[in-house]
Amino acid sequence: MTLGNFDERAAYQIVEGIYSSVITNDITRRHNIMNFDLFNRVVKYIVENVGKTFSANAIAKFLKSEGRSLSIEAVYNYLSWLEKAFVIYRCRRYDLQGKSILKTQEKFYLADSSLKYCIMGFNPKSVAAMLENIVYFELRRRGYEVYV
């Protein structure tokens, strides 16, 4: 399979280079993140859960179950920095009864779905989530506000 003038391996290398430069240079250096492995694990958690609702607390609990420790405040910072670097986009939850936007259980979508395959590899089970990712961005492109 070729993509333009690139074969599949070359395409993955390009995406890995983009991921590394954005994560390493734009985020970890700018915000002086000392524990790159822990930050990278948070990024992987987000990528694995594209299109699913979760909270910063859920990420902190997941890391604790792996024997790692990270404050909820740090998770919020990581999410914010990833958003500011245009790696992820937040889809807020909307409460129909109270007609207010809730602060927890949001969804996050990847700006570039190739990042998921670069980080996690291809998994046929993730196709539905990636289609949802595409629909989210198409709705946003057409000017719609999108909520969960």
Side-chain angles (χ1 to χ4, degrees), residues 26-27 31 39 46 75-92 106-109 111 136 140:
D26 190 34
I27 298 175
H31 300 288
F39 175 71
I46 295 164
V75 174
Y76 277 121
N77 286 337
Y78 290 177
L79 290 169
S80 174
W81 298 337
L82 288 164
E83 281 184 280
K84 288 177 182 173
F86 303 105
V87 174
I88 61 172
Y89 286 76
R90 180 184 313 251
C91 184
R92 299 197 184 277
E106 300 163 316
K107 287 188 178 189
F108 291 87
Y109 294 101
Y136 169 79
R140 292 283 310 268

Side-chain angles (χ1 to χ4, degrees), residues 3 14 22 27 55 62 73 86 122 130 142 144 147:
L3 305 169
I14 290 168
V22 168
I27 298 175
S55 64
F62 171 76
E73 176 82 20
F86 303 105
F122 178 74
M130 295 319 294
R142 292 181 184 204
Y144 291 98
Y147 297 97

